[in-house]
Amino acid sequence: MTLDVAIVALPLLGALIAGIGNRHIGDHAAQWITSGLMLAVMVISWITFFDVTGSGNTRTTELFTWFETGSFRAAWAVRIDQLSAVMLIVVTTVSAMVHVYSIGYMHHDKSVPRFMAYLSFFTFCMLMLVTADNFIQMFFGWEGVGLSSYLLIGFWYDRPTANAAAIKAFLVNRVGDFGFALGIMGVYLVFNTVEFKPLFDTIIAGQTPPTFNFLGYEVDTLTALCLLLFVGAMGKSAQLFLHTWLPDAMEGPTPVSALIHAATMVTAGVFMVCRLSPMFEYAPYAKEVVTVVGASTAFFAATVGLTQNDIKRVIAYSTCSQLGYMFFAAGVGAYGAAMFHLFTHAFFKALLFLCAGSVIHAMSGEQDMRKMGGIYKLIPTTYTLMWIGNIALAGVGIPGVFGFAGFYSKDSILESAFAAHSSVGMYAFWLGIIGAVMTAFYSWRLIYMTFHNKPRASHDVMHHVHESPWVMLAPLFVLAAGAILTGFVWHESFVGSEMEHFWGQAIHFASTNEVPHHAHDVPLWVKLLPLAAGLIGILFATYAYLVQKGLPAAIAGALKPLYLMSYNKWYFDELYDAIFVNPIKVFGRFLWKKGDGAIVDGAVDGFAWLTGEWFAKRASALQSGYVYHYAFVMLIGIVAMVSWYIFAFGK
């Protein structure tokens, strides 16, 4: 129990030491204290993971009662089950590697202690979220990661673009969080509890009120609650319509991208849907919405990733696309497959982001791939590790033999979508296949544009290209091991024959949900199609960027409308500016000028004129300076008061 509490408490301790100590303890002390504590938490988390998944030793440690009023009660507890154990090793391993990586990447920055404090505080909030035993604790962790991501994205606050990106991330997530909050309120209103266990027991027992009346319509209770909660997941996990914050968040330091936008915060929505599987299992229409939104996001983000030139933005849209895969897996009922891809994706996507950071570090801060090229011999270690990350992302492997991590997890998702035998399942399957082609293409495009062909950078930049220090490279090897082995090692546990034993009671499958089992019996062509899709993308990218190098420009010219649509991210930002941002600005200016300026300021100025110019001047005329005038006025006042009293109360 003490170790369970330590997992959550130690990152907070590191944040407090680095944040309060700041310049008093110095850069090195802040780096090594926070990194050392995170490494300790990582080790404890792995021990906990093997304990829980191996022996089924699940437990909940209640620390104290947080809120209690009437029938409402919320405790701060540490819930350790199979689902939270998986998230613990994802969060702590990636966070520990990012902490260590930041020692080298941020060593020239003027605010190192503040940065390390933000990283540790973010980790604490994320751990608070994944170990929550009730909605209130989850919501506080949910909002905590939102706050800390705002601080990390806007870390370089002297850059206007970083400030704008931080504000955008904060505001877009508030839209999702509003839906999440309404969902929590609805859960308490319907079930009179915010704790997970009594809530899930009630739902599984079939005691949910079937419908409620809304504006004259009978609405399914669980569907409405699940959709509201899913809106929160859409914001936090950057799903279609609430995705616009994620690419702009690349304005933060690269370690932030790896921590927040590859492995941890953006997966909070997927974790939440899987945690609430007892709710979603009995809300089929909500699951269909999750499937459609996830599949659409996977397709949309992949199309945008094809044409981006900023190395971090390509990986960011890749993250958005892969999150879509996770969601449609959960939508068809394959929660194990969703968590499996979350697990493997954390390692290879964090690896890709940190490799991108190593490239940027080598290229003197340059992020535009059009200004790179010809550096694979200069940074061979980073180049090799980037290959590992890309192979894992593309899902390259031989069925029944071996493949990197993404091969096992992505294939299990696509097989589950096919095994759903539903219209939304087939919609997700085919968009997922098309997305796999595009994923492989933009992954290899990134490799070729960054490392191959002739150098396109200036002579000065090329002269200073160098491999990153070992304090930055060492974490990459740890993540590379995860990118290679996690799929092969844990495939049977997450989605295979050991699935039911592995997950225990952490994930609930309704008796009608046969998707996880039917996914093992899909036709051979379904198993081979993702591999074929990946190879098509790889071969086309190789031909376009190594053999026929003028082909991309020719295609962009021939399909200019489609190219511009992809390059401009389907014009979502422009659309939102036109529909929401600009009208709100106009309305705000109207309230400022006509409301605050004309009415409020006008009323104040008018009252000041009335009292100062009109009343004061006339009152001053009564001040003659003669005492007998004042005595006469006093006498009149006394006579008036006595007369009023007599007439009012006299008999």
Side-chain angles (χ1 to χ4, degrees), residues 33-104:
I33 290 173
T34 54
S35 299
L37 289 172
M38 276 310 311
L39 288 169
V41 170
M42 180 188 73
V43 172
I44 298 171
S45 296
W46 276 97
I47 294 171
T48 302
F49 171 76
F50 287 115
D51 177 45
V52 172
T53 58
S55 63
N57 183 24
T58 61
R59 63 268 188 187
T60 300
T61 305
E62 185 172 314
L63 303 182
F64 53 84
T65 299
W66 203 352
F67 301 106
E68 187 168 12
T69 176
S71 62
F72 179 84
R73 180 180 182 274
W76 189 348
V78 179
R79 179 187 180 114
I80 302 295
D81 61 6
Q82 292 86 346
L83 199 60
S84 59
V86 170
M87 292 300 297
L88 286 180
I89 61 171
V90 168
V91 174
T92 59
T93 302
V94 174
S95 182
M97 297 304 103
V98 168
H99 274 74
V100 175
Y101 181 90
S102 299
I103 295 174

Side-chain angles (χ1 to χ4, degrees), residues 194-270:
V194 292
E195 297 183 356
F196 292 147
K197 188 178 186 310
L199 169 67
F200 296 162
D201 290 344
T202 301
I203 295 172
I204 294 171
Q207 300 174 1
T208 305
T211 62
F212 67 94
N213 188 277
F214 182 73
L215 299 178
Y217 295 92
E218 291 297 317
V219 180
D220 184 80
T221 304
L222 274 182
T223 299
L225 294 176
C226 287
L227 288 178
L228 286 171
L229 294 168
F230 178 60
V231 170
M234 288 176 63
K236 200 66 71 183
S237 296
Q239 292 300 281
L240 193 61
F241 304 118
L242 294 179
H243 68 279
T244 54
W245 68 271
L246 184 65
D248 290 1
M250 298 301 108
E251 291 292 338
T254 300
V256 173
S257 303
L259 179 61
I260 296 178
H261 311 118
T264 53
M265 187 181 102
V266 291
T267 62
V270 180

Side-chain angles (χ1 to χ4, degrees), residues 253-299:
T254 300
V256 173
S257 303
L259 179 61
I260 296 178
H261 311 118
T264 53
M265 187 181 102
V266 291
T267 62
V270 180
F271 165 76
M272 187 260 284
V273 172
C274 293
R275 170 64 78 199
L276 302 181
S277 58
M279 294 182 67
F280 281 87
E281 279 293 86
Y282 301 99
Y285 294 114
K287 286 176 66 179
E288 289 183 358
V289 172
V290 174
T291 304
V292 171
V293 171
S296 302
T297 303
F299 175 80

Side-chain angles (χ1 to χ4, degrees), residues 422-437:
S422 64
S423 57
V424 294
M426 293 308 295
Y427 173 81
F429 174 76
W430 286 111
L431 285 190
I433 292 296
I434 298 170
V437 176

Side-chain angles (χ1 to χ4, degrees), residues 436-490:
V437 176
M438 292 187 288
T439 299
F441 176 84
Y442 64 63
S443 297
W444 262 252
R445 172 179 177 264
L446 183 149
I447 284 280
Y448 296 144
M449 288 186 68
T450 303
F451 295 99
H452 289 272
N453 298 316
K454 294 180 180 180
R456 296 179 295 275
S458 67
H459 176 75
D460 289 339
V461 171
M462 293 300 299
H463 181 71
H464 291 94
V465 173
H466 60 282
E467 190 64 89
S468 299
W470 277 103
V471 73
M472 292 173 59
L473 293 178
L476 303 185
F477 283 98
V478 176
L479 296 171
I484 296 171
L485 297 173
T486 51
F488 175 77
V489 173
W490 277 287

Side-chain angles (χ1 to χ4, degrees), residues 12-36:
L12 178 61
L13 176 63
L16 292 173
I17 293 174
I20 297 173
N22 206 319
R23 300 185 187 280
H24 299 291
I25 63 174
D27 294 356
H28 292 297
Q31 289 173 327
W32 289 108
I33 290 173
T34 54
S35 299

